[in-house]
């Protein structure tokens, strides 16, 4: 498996790439596209004055705009990288300004709601092909991005029925150039898969950190002092961007509630095993779950180092 981005293309894949919402994901796309010469010019668009100033200081783009409709002029590829709740209004604003043959995509962690909010605003002369790179960190903003974020990570592309085959392949090739493996799904299936692999785990982390914060019998300093017992790993996830995650839950309601229903039933079963001293039941489940972690490591999606590679030096 490659551990670095490939060499620079002799000719860019896209003439002009416009990235709207230039935070962790948007700036990582820009950095990776620059590193591989995947775009001739990179246009950044962000509504935040602070983000635009930082993009300029870090020299991450060839043009910087506040207004999406200005930023998409002449673009071959437009990627919406804002929180998902903002995508519909942006699609409406850019629709009339898209050039013929432009590909419009996004990186939203939810697909069904983004398709509903955006598809009708993208004119027939352009190609709307949503996608979701399953890669990220708990940090936000243009400083948080890095060129290798997508390396060996999956990017799920959800082309609408009847989408232009060449445009879909061009977008997939772009993500492969950024180091991703590409998989195709329907938006509904994407939303169910991500509800179990990402959305509900985030909700559990937000909940357990909130519960610890509300506890009266255990002090905050005790929670912090003894956090290495497991709590610390939840706090990383629960430190994720509040706007992004508010929008994920508001926009993937059905799938999250479906998985949460299953989760609550399974949690009740565990509660019962503990109450009735069913050690065999607990042991069986914990053995099964250990095997899942092994499969994730074997597939290259996680480091085999103990404790996520923390204290690696101390262990040597
Ligand atoms: P981020 O670092 O907060 O960046 C988003 C940027 O978009 C911010 O600079 C934000 O400015 C700006 N923005 C918000 N509304 C806008 C609008 N209407 N017009 C222009 N700019 C706007 O967030 P991110 O982590 O890159 O996430 C972006 C998208 O990627 C989300 O849809 C998320 O679901 C998806 N995603 C995230 C991850 C992850 O792990 N973070 C992974 C995969 C996919 P303000 O902050 O000032 O509002």
């Amino acid at each position: 498996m490659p551990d670095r981005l490939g060499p620079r293309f002799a000719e860019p894949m896209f003439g002009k790439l416009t990235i709207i919402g230039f935070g962790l994901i948007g700036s990582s796309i820009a950095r990776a596209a620059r590193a591989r010469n995947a775009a001739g010019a990179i246009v950044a668009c962000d509504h935040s004055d602070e983000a635009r100033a930082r993009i300029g200081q870090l020299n991450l783009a060839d043009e910087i705009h506040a207004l999406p409709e200005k930023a998409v002029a002449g673009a071959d590829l437009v990627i919406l990288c804002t929180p998902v709740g903002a995508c519909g209004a942006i699609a409406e604003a850019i629709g009339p300004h898209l050039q013929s043959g432009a590909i419009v995509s996004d990186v939203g962690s939810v697909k069904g709601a983004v398709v509903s909010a955006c598809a009708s605003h993208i004119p027939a002369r352009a190609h709307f092909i949503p996608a979701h790179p399953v890669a990220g960190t708990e940090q936000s903003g243009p400083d948080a991005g890095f060129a290798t974020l997508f390396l060996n990570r999956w990017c799920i592309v959800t082309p609408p029925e009847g989408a232009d085959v060449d445009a879909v392949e061009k977008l997939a090739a772009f993500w492969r150039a950024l180091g991703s493996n590409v998989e195709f799904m329907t938006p509904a299936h994407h939303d169910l898969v991500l509800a179990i692999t990402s959305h509900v785990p985030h909700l559990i982390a937000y909940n357990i950190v909130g519960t610890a914060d509300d506890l009266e019998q255990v002090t905050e300093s005790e929670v912090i002092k003894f956090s290495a017992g497991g709590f610390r790993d939840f706090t990383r996830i629960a430190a994720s961007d509040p706007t992004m995650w508010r929008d994920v839950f508001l926009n993937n309601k059905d799938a999250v509630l479906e998985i949460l229903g299953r989760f609550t039933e399974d949690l009740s079963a565990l509660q019962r095993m503990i109450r009735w001293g069913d050690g065999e039941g607990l042991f069986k489940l914990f053995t099964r779950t250990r095997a899942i972690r092994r499969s994730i490591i074997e597939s290259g999606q996680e480091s085999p180092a103990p404790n996520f590679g923390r204290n690696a030096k101390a262990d040597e």
Side-chain angles (χ1 to χ4, degrees):
M1 206 172 287
D3 60 356
R4 61 172 71 172
L5 289 172
R8 286 172 65 77
F9 294 109
E11 287 293 325
M13 306 171 81
F14 289 93
K16 201 183 221 187
L17 161 65
T18 295
I19 297 170
I20 302 176
F22 213 87
L24 167 71
I25 301 294
S27 74
S28 294
I29 293 174
R31 286 173 166 100
R34 268 229 177 127
R36 294 226 58 195
N37 193 30
I42 293 176
V43 179
C45 173
D46 202 291
H47 70 171
S48 150
D49 296 342
E50 204 186 324
R52 289 199 307 281
R54 228 19 226 146
I55 298 161
Q57 285 159 0
L58 295 167
N59 188 26
L60 293 176
D62 302 290
E63 280 176 48
I64 306 172
H65 292 273
L67 295 176
E69 52 271 39
K70 290 258 175 349
V72 299
D76 309 288
L77 174 61
V78 176
I79 309 183
L80 313 186
C81 301
T82 61
V84 291
C87 290
I90 294 172
E92 188 173 6
I94 65 174
H97 305 275
L98 293 166
Q99 73 172 14
S100 185
I103 296 175
V104 178
S105 189
D106 77 308
V107 293
S109 308
V110 175
K111 296 275 59 91
V114 169
V115 172
S116 307
C118 297
S120 63
H121 299 302
I122 306 301
R125 65 176 181 282
H127 308 289
F128 179 49
I129 307 166
H132 174 207
V134 186
T137 74
E138 67 282 16
Q139 297 182 337
S140 310
D143 281 279
F146 52 99
T148 52
L149 176 64
F150 310 109
L151 195 59
N152 299 327
R153 297 285 169 256
W154 286 96
C155 180
I156 302 173
V157 178
T158 63
E161 232 171 278
D164 183 90
V165 177
D166 291 345
V168 172
E169 188 38 50
K170 215 169 164 198
L171 183 71
F174 176 79
W175 278 107
R176 288 188 195 106
L178 270 46
S180 290
N181 307 312
V182 173
E183 179 125 335
F184 298 95
M185 278 182 200
T186 64
H189 190 64
H190 165 278
D191 289 353
L192 192 62
V193 171
L194 269 289
I196 181 67
T197 56
S198 168
H199 305 169
V200 170
H202 274 77
L203 200 68
I204 293 166
Y206 282 123
N207 190 46
I208 192 132
V209 176
T211 303
D213 195 40
D214 290 341
L215 274 185
E216 278 160 11
Q217 309 92 311
V218 179
T219 65
E220 195 180 314
S221 69
E222 283 173 318
V223 169
I224 293 168
K225 191 165 153 190
F226 301 115
S227 64
F231 182 75
R232 184 178 64 182
D233 296 332
F234 283 107
T235 61
R236 183 190 69 74
I237 299 178
S240 299
D241 188 69
T243 309
M244 169 187 155
W245 283 96
R246 176 204 61 197
D247 282 8
V248 166
F249 292 113
L250 295 180
N251 287 282
N252 196 20
K253 220 187 242 183
D254 293 346
V256 166
L257 291 177
E258 159 73 21
I259 298 295
L260 214 48
R262 301 281 291 255
F263 174 80
T264 316
E265 280 174 29
D266 292 344
L267 196 61
S268 300
L270 271 176
Q271 225 172 335
R272 219 172 18 248
M273 286 184 210
I274 295 169
R275 189 182 309 285
W276 297 108
D278 180 2
E280 199 186 326
L282 292 172
F283 188 83
K284 255 192 200 156
L285 175 69
F286 300 165
T287 306
R288 193 149 56 90
T289 55
R290 199 174 214 193
I292 301 258
R293 167 119 189 121
R294 243 180 263 127
S295 321
I296 292 172
I297 291 168
E298 279 160 22
S299 72
Q301 296 298 306
E302 174 62 297
S303 154
N307 198 18
F308 303 100
R310 285 187 204 122
N311 307 331
K313 288 235 154 41
D315 295 341
E316 277 165 9

